[in-house]
Structures are given as C-alpha cells and as structure tokens.
Amino acid sequence: MTKQTIGHVLPEERDEIQALFERRNGLNELAKILTSDNAELYERLVKDMGETSTKFQQWWNRMGEKYQWESSENGSWEIDFNDCTIYLVTQE
C-alpha cells in the first residue's frame, strides 16, 4: 500500500467531511444494535444512512473536481483531519 500527498482542503471543507464521517460511523454503530423490531426507527436509520453516504460521496466528488486531485483505478482518497491533507492511497 502506498500513500501519496495530493492536496489539501480548507478547514471549513475539512469540518464538513469530518461531520459526515462521524455521523456515518455513528449510524453504522447504531445499525449494529438496532433490530428491525422497531420498524419506524429502523426505516429512519436506513434512510439517514443512505442520505449521509450520498452526501459523503458528493463531498469527495466535489472536492476532487475543485482541486483536480490525482486519482487511481485501484486507489482511494483519504483525509488527515488534523492538517487537512488529502492522500491518494493505492494497493500495490
């Protein structure tokens, strides 16, 4: 695996993706303990997970286009929340 620095984002942009990242992780944890017994809550969770995942991917698409980041067919982008650095991570 290689990790190459390909850019940076503004702190406000970092804050946006970090909030989505934390929300997505929280929803995934909730999904582990929630059963479909409570149909209404379960449906809300599924809907929220879908919306959050879509917003998460839209952020990456928007920033990738804005900053013209390098990409790779077998790679993915990653952010360091501490310093707003964007990496291209590829599998060897």
Side-chain angles (χ1 to χ4, degrees), residues 32-50:
K32 291 177 184 175
I33 60 171
L34 184 67
T35 65
S36 57
D37 295 344
N38 185 336
E40 182 183 339
L41 188 57
Y42 185 77
E43 288 304 315
R44 284 179 37 203
L45 174 66
V46 170
K47 182 175 185 276
D48 201 356
M49 287 176 77

Side-chain angles (χ1 to χ4, degrees), residues 11 13-22 25 56 59-60 78-85 87:
E13 294 166 337
R14 182 253 343 254
D15 294 348
E16 183 183 352
I17 194 64
Q18 189 168 16
L20 289 168
F21 177 81
E22 290 170 357
N25 286 351
F56 187 83
W59 184 92
W60 284 107
E78 189 178 281
I79 183 168
D80 181 330
F81 292 123
N82 293 318
D83 63 8
C84 303
T85 302
Y87 298 98

